[in-house]
Amino acid sequence: MWGYAYEVDAGDVPQVIDYLDFREKNGYEARQALFYPRDEILAPIQVLFYIATPDNPSYLGPAPLDELANHIAHSAGPSGKNSEYLLNLAQAVRHLNPDVKESHLFQLETLVENALKIEP
């Protein structure tokens, strides 16, 4: 697995956590883990992340990609449309790391784009 970690100034941590807790309030759980930077000279750091768990009412689990895409294309929450989040995520991944070929994400992107094109 790979990912990005962002450092937040200590004085901003409470405000950022409040924002994330609101944004991820639809059944996501905040968890902590060690993050290992790509540069092995740097020490692992403790990070906070949010994850959907099976007890989340919006969690689809291991659903087929077309079912996931349809759900994403037609869902929205207090933070906006799920499709916008997914399409922005795919664009950001391509920008941040052009070598990544995250097939699941990019397959979902294509299916969601197609679902959005056929909407009236």
Side-chain angles (χ1 to χ4, degrees):
M1 292 181 78
W2 64 271
Y4 289 91
Y6 296 91
E7 183 175 7
V8 176
D9 287 331
D12 294 333
V13 168
Q15 179 183 353
V16 170
I17 289 178
D18 285 347
Y19 168 76
L20 290 172
D21 283 346
F22 175 78
R23 188 184 80 182
E24 305 297 340
K25 69 181 177 181
N26 188 22
Y28 290 86
E29 292 182 10
R31 296 207 179 154
Q32 293 188 10
L34 279 178
F35 180 83
Y36 295 85
R38 179 181 283 181
D39 184 345
E40 295 177 5
I41 296 171
L42 301 172
I45 55 173
Q46 192 75 20
V47 296
L48 174 74
F49 65 97
Y50 291 77
I51 187 169
T53 60
D55 58 335
N56 176 333
S58 298
Y59 180 76
L60 291 180
L65 281 178
D66 58 338
E67 185 178 332
L68 287 171
N70 187 52
H71 183 78
I72 291 168
H74 299 95
S75 297
S79 301
K81 294 180 179 180
N82 293 22
S83 58
E84 288 177 5
Y85 180 87
L86 177 89
L87 299 176
N88 287 335
L89 175 62
Q91 183 179 14
V93 168
R94 281 191 187 92
H95 175 74
L96 292 169
N97 193 346
D99 296 328
V100 170
K101 305 299 181 215
E102 178 64 45
S103 63
H104 183 78
L105 173 62
F106 297 141
Q107 287 174 359
L108 270 176
E109 175 190 36
T110 299
L111 291 169
V112 167
E113 287 174 335
N114 290 339
L116 293 172
K117 287 177 188 171
I118 60 172
E119 290 183 359

